[in-house]
Amino acid sequence: MRIIAIANQKGGCGKTTVALNLSACLAREGKRTLLIDLDPQGHCALGLAVPEEQTEFTMADVLLDPDGKSGIELSRIAWQISSNFDLAPGKTNLALLETRLANAADRESRLRPIIEKVAEKYDFVMIDTPPTIGFLMLSALHAADEVVVPVDTGYFALHGLSKQLDTIREVANRTGRPLKLRILGNLYDVRTKLAREILAELRKRHAPEMLTTFINFNTKLKESTSLGQPITEYDPASIGCRDFVRLARELVALGETTEIPESIQQQADALAADAERLLATSETLLGSRRETTSILTEARSTASTARPPQAQPAATNGGVSKAATAALVDTAPRTETFGEVGSDVAIQRKLDQIYGIQTTPEGVVFATKVMNAQTVKLAGDFNGWNSEVTPLRRLDADGTFEVRLPLGPGRYRYRYVVDGRWINDPFNAAVESNPFGELNNIVVVNG
């Protein structure tokens, strides 16, 4: 079970919308999901059409009696929203908890044991938090293993994020348990220059923590919550639903595969090993070249002292030994080949032959290496940016994937989708910026 808090002390960044629709998309992906509403406004219940007048017990009742002596437990207050999707609602009585539990020494650490009682029932527990630093948000952070911080691409976004990060670090230091930080670009409007600049700045400052997925501004998301439906039910064909499905799949992939920094390190180690093998080969060849060069130098030196200028060497005794003459004849044509293999350029050429883009008579070959990847897909303007159309096939257990496409002459843009995460091709240096503040790779097919 993974416990994820949706938290940002800055209001208006779309926390509840993210919590609702991310939970719904996780459930759609087959993950048993519980959404806990710790916001006294109770907007999760409102956004999922749970009638307040019929809500007898809420999270406030559970937190007041963490041992369940009164029979009010988390599983009892949960409402089933859809298949795999439950809601533990909150109401305004949550706002009174900080005062009522003022003298409780364990008040901020109560929530995690409560959640652990239903660990076998859920794969994901999402916690929606209020836009303030107080007992409720701190309870969520104490309970969580991961924190998704939605950041709207507006003027105050970076300032609000820095304050939230300070709070997360303080909680992590207090509990001695690290919190995995995920920063989510939200309410992104590609039409505005400010939004593009804010997203680019977020990725520059917080690259390791940034989720690849970002949520575009989409009116369908607002319409769906106003009608009490998650986007998966209201308009599953909308851009908003597409974005949240991508986000859900990325979070699932982050939990099922090795953490990204370690994965990148393993990939770098594997590439370094390839380079070392190539370098060792080149050193062997260079050693042969040095021996050959020594023989050639000795032979030429001997020849120059044994015969007068202008003289042609005799077939049998021109002052050059038969061994040296054989070396001269047999090795001279290969000197340039040795030099090329032994250079850094040759090593890079060898790597490029293994990974990257290769144009063949049968089509363009896209090859890459991604350690620990389950799936690698290709999206580009040649397939409508639909990665589902073009999966790469796995060539070996070391993470090598490849696909061949019959592309006509032209200039094409593309990216890889690795376990739901959109990434650039690390073996293709040809890139250009796209309207989303990211980079597309470029491949040119000549006629």
Side-chain angles (χ1 to χ4, degrees):
M1 180 181 66
R2 294 170 61 185
I3 306 174
I4 303 177
I6 313 294
N8 193 338
Q9 62 200 58
K10 177 184 176 298
C13 61
K15 289 188 300 297
T16 300
T17 301
V18 170
L20 289 174
N21 292 300
L22 176 55
S23 298
C25 288
L26 286 169
R28 171 179 161 170
E29 293 295 306
K31 304 301 180 182
R32 299 168 301 167
T33 305
L34 172 66
L35 173 58
I36 294 176
D37 189 1
L38 285 189
D39 190 342
Q41 298 176 92
H43 284 172
C44 285
L46 183 64
L48 293 173
V50 174
E52 183 177 359
E53 62 275 9
Q54 296 181 23
T55 306
E56 183 179 2
F57 300 110
T58 68
M59 284 303 302
D61 301 293
V62 176
L63 288 169
L64 282 171
D65 182 20
D67 297 326
K69 295 178 180 178
S70 62
I72 303 175
E73 297 181 341
L74 191 57
S75 57
R76 180 179 175 184
I77 72 166
W79 285 66
Q80 183 178 13
I81 304 301
S82 63
S83 177
N84 294 325
F85 184 15
D86 293 347
L87 169 69
K91 287 202 301 188
T92 53
N93 57 354
L94 280 168
L96 303 175
L97 282 184
E98 187 157 7
T99 302
R100 297 182 65 177
L101 297 175
N103 298 322
D106 65 338
R107 62 176 190 167
E108 292 172 357
S109 58
R110 287 186 171 197
L111 182 57
R112 187 174 179 91
I114 291 172
I115 295 174
E116 287 176 343
K117 292 179 181 179
V118 296
E120 296 182 358
K121 189 175 180 180
Y122 298 104
D123 300 308
F124 282 86
V125 174
M126 315 297 293
I127 309 174
D128 187 29
T129 62
T132 56
I133 300 176
F135 159 68
L136 294 172
M137 178 180 283
L138 293 177
S139 294
L141 295 180
H142 275 76
D145 303 308
E146 307 168 50
V147 185
V148 172
V149 183
V151 181
D152 63 293
T153 49
Y155 180 72
F156 298 106
L158 297 178
H159 181 265
L161 176 61
S162 64
K163 297 295 184 182
Q164 184 64 48
L165 296 185
D166 290 341
T167 302
I168 292 172
R169 293 189 192 100
E170 180 182 346
V171 171
N173 290 334
R174 189 184 307 173
T175 62
R177 183 168 45 82
L179 280 169
K180 296 177 184 177
L181 176 63
R182 324 282 193 195
I183 300 175
L184 171 67
N186 194 32
L187 301 172
Y188 177 66
D189 190 347
V190 69
R191 298 169 297 179
T192 66
K193 180 181 178 182
L194 177 61
R196 296 195 298 270
E197 290 177 348
I198 293 295
L199 184 60
E201 186 66 19
L202 281 171
R203 288 179 168 165
K204 178 181 177 181
R205 293 189 185 185
H206 306 285
E209 297 86 14
M210 281 294 295
L211 290 162
T212 301
T213 304
F214 56 89
I215 308 299
N216 288 282
F217 178 83
N218 184 231
T219 56
K220 296 293 183 181
L221 294 172
K222 290 188 174 183
E223 293 173 5
S224 66
T225 53
S226 67
L227 294 174
Q229 292 180 300
I231 193 64
T232 51
E233 296 180 10
Y234 178 72
D235 192 349
S238 65
I239 293 176
C241 186
R242 180 205 66 183
D243 289 344
F244 275 107
V245 168
R246 284 178 56 188
L247 175 60
R249 290 175 178 174
E250 182 174 359
L251 283 177
V252 170
L254 285 172
E256 292 180 348
T257 60
T258 306
E259 285 297 305
I260 293 175
E262 183 178 347
S263 176
I264 291 176
Q265 183 61 51
Q266 290 177 354
Q267 183 174 348
D269 291 343
L271 292 175
D274 289 342
E276 286 292 336
R277 286 194 293 269
L278 289 171
L279 186 59
T281 302
S282 69
E283 287 295 334
T284 302
L285 294 174
L286 280 174
S288 300
R289 182 190 178 187
R290 293 188 187 101
E291 293 177 3
T292 300
T293 303
S294 177
I295 294 173
L296 288 172
T297 303
E298 179 185 355
R300 288 167 182 159
S301 176
T302 305
S304 64
T305 57
R307 68 175 184 266
Q310 310 291 331
Q312 295 296 326
T316 56
N317 63 358
V320 182
S321 68
K322 292 181 179 179
T325 303
L328 176 62
V329 173
D330 292 343
T331 60
R334 295 196 293 271
T335 302
E336 286 300 318
T337 303
F338 290 150
E340 182 180 354
V341 173
S343 66
D344 292 339
V345 174
I347 294 173
Q348 185 59 49
R349 286 179 183 173
K350 183 64 176 176
L351 287 174
D352 291 341
Q353 289 172 3
I354 302 173
Y355 311 116
I357 304 299
Q358 296 293 323
T359 303
T360 70
E362 295 78 21
V364 179
V365 177
F366 295 81
T368 190
K369 184 170 186 176
V370 187
M371 298 293 294
N372 299 321
Q374 301 298 315
T375 62
V376 178
K377 301 175 183 178
L378 182 64
D381 44 20
F382 41 75
N383 64 3
W385 293 97
N386 185 356
S387 63
E388 301 300 324
V389 176
T390 316
L392 278 69
R393 63 187 180 93
R394 183 188 295 272
L395 296 183
D396 55 41
D398 294 332
T400 301
F401 293 81
E402 180 185 282
V403 69
R404 188 188 307 269
L405 296 181
L407 299 181
R411 183 177 185 272
Y412 302 95
R413 298 165 297 170
Y414 72 94
R415 299 185 76 191
Y416 287 124
V417 182
V418 179
D419 294 334
R421 291 178 59 87
W422 290 65
I423 67 168
N424 299 117
D425 184 351
F427 304 101
N428 183 1
V431 295
E432 70 174 19
S433 299
N434 63 27
F436 305 104
E438 299 174 329
L439 294 176
N440 294 329
N441 290 102
I442 303 299
V443 57
V444 177
V445 180
N446 297 319

